[in-house]
Amino acid sequence: MPEYGSKEYWNARYERVDEPFDWMVDYSALAPTLQALIIDKNLSILLVGCGDAPFSADLFYLGGYQNQVNADYSEIVIEKQKKLWPEIQWRVLDCLDMKEVTDGTFDVIIDKSLIDTCMCYKDGHNTTMKLYSELHRVLKSGGRLITISLHSEEEVIQYGTTNPNCEFVASSCSLASERHAGGFHALCVFDKTSGLDPITQLKLTSEHPIEFVNAVDRALLPKEVLTSGSDSDEESVDYNFGFSSHDDLVFAFGQALDEVFVDNA
């Protein structure tokens, strides 16, 4: 199985393929939903696991969100992106351990499928819990974490709401996806309540559940898209779209990546 948790794997992949790709969904498809979730375009945004996706540049130029930092632990892809888009901020960061970033730095964090990569680690559950702990740490009090994932809403939500290192209030929805074979992907919003005074915390909590733009009616979703897994034992987690084991998840993730790379080659 490919080592999706290995920096060497991603560096080799980015060296081999020159054409950028947007995994799962592009900015134009997400824009109506994101613009309703991030109204103030001056907020500081961290986009984690950015890769070479056009999403970062589209968010900057088309969306107008120019106070953004794009992070990836692949030095190869960050150098490529710096040359392509010098006006945008790019940083080499390991999002599991961003020791270079102080607590409470960003207003908004966007994770477009880094969670899916972390779930492909051999210790995927613990790695993903660690990811959410670190994202919570660098997010400001009252800040917003937006996660887009090929997994079910229920499975994504657990990493922010059952994590002892996180204090979030959360809402989620499913969005239609033309690029993803499952036909849908989850979008989850986590608002950080820790560090807020009681009145502000109550106000933030009262904004949930969020009414998402373009959300798919859950009654129309196939049964497998509603599958959730809350067991920390990875071998027994019912992954979204029928991923009944860790190996099944890694295999499906690899197939999807290969299809996207071939399409862009």
Side-chain angles (χ1 to χ4, degrees):
M1 290 286 183
E3 292 292 334
Y4 293 120
S6 164
K7 184 190 298 186
E8 290 73 22
Y9 168 83
W10 290 105
N11 278 339
R13 194 139 199 173
Y14 288 126
E15 284 182 326
R16 189 169 73 248
V17 180
D18 291 328
E19 290 295 320
F21 76 99
D22 257 318
W23 161 247
M24 190 167 56
V25 63
D26 60 18
Y27 175 75
S28 63
L30 282 175
T33 309
L34 284 180
Q35 288 169 1
L37 295 172
I38 316 172
I39 296 174
D40 184 352
K41 296 190 176 183
N42 294 313
L43 294 177
S44 57
I45 298 175
L46 173 66
L47 201 158
V48 293
C50 63
D52 61 359
F55 184 89
S56 296
D58 288 346
L59 185 70
F60 187 92
Y61 291 108
L62 301 181
Y65 298 97
Q66 299 191 351
N67 187 14
Q68 63 168 268
V69 174
N70 297 275
D72 201 290
Y73 75 170
S74 168
E75 301 92 341
I76 300 297
V77 79
I78 290 298
E79 287 306 311
K80 288 173 64 175
Q81 294 299 87
K82 282 181 177 179
K83 292 176 182 177
L84 281 173
W85 311 106
E87 302 90 353
I88 301 175
Q89 295 184 67
W90 306 93
R91 290 186 65 178
V92 177
L93 289 175
D94 181 351
C95 294
L96 296 176
D97 183 18
M98 293 181 280
K99 51 183 174 293
E100 305 92 337
V101 181
T102 56
D103 297 358
T105 295
F106 295 98
D107 295 299
V108 177
I109 298 175
I110 300 175
D111 164 19
K112 189 164 79 73
S113 207
L114 179 58
I115 181 177
D116 301 320
T117 303
C118 288
M119 286 186 185
C120 287
Y121 281 52
K122 291 179 180 178
D123 59 343
H125 179 83
N126 291 334
T127 300
T128 309
M129 291 291 273
K130 183 177 181 181
L131 171 68
Y132 270 71
S133 296
E134 188 67 350
L135 298 181
H136 181 275
R137 181 185 69 80
V138 302
L139 191 64
K140 291 181 180 179
S141 296
R144 172 162 287 181
L145 165 61
I146 302 171
T147 295
I148 302 102
S149 172
L150 61 82
H151 286 74
S152 67
E153 299 171 42
E154 288 80 1
E155 188 167 9
V156 175
I157 283 286
Q158 69 165 321
Y159 288 105
T161 57
T162 68
N163 190 323
N165 298 315
C166 299
E167 293 182 34
F168 285 125
V169 58
S171 294
S172 67
C173 72
S174 290
L175 300 174
S177 175
E178 294 181 0
R179 295 186 174 206
H180 179 38
F184 303 92
H185 59 265
L187 186 144
C188 302
V189 170
F190 303 86
D191 287 338
K192 182 175 176 179
T193 58
S194 62
L196 298 176
D197 64 79
I199 299 298
T200 306
Q201 188 174 119
L202 182 62
K203 181 178 182 299
L204 184 62
T205 303
S206 70
E207 295 173 3
H208 291 257
I210 294 171
E211 292 188 13
F212 293 95
V213 175
N214 288 344
V216 176
D217 186 342
R218 289 176 64 85
L220 302 178
L221 294 175
K223 181 179 178 180
E224 59 269 23
V225 179
L226 297 173
T227 300
S228 64
S230 58
D231 195 329
S232 62
D233 179 359
E234 291 183 54
E235 293 302 316
S236 65
V237 168
D238 291 328
Y239 291 103
N240 194 17
F241 306 117
F243 302 149
S244 59
S245 73
H246 176 263
D247 286 348
D248 287 345
L249 170 62
V250 173
F251 178 75
F253 188 73
Q255 278 193 319
L257 279 177
D258 287 339
E259 288 173 5
V260 175
F261 273 106
V262 168
D263 289 343
N264 286 276

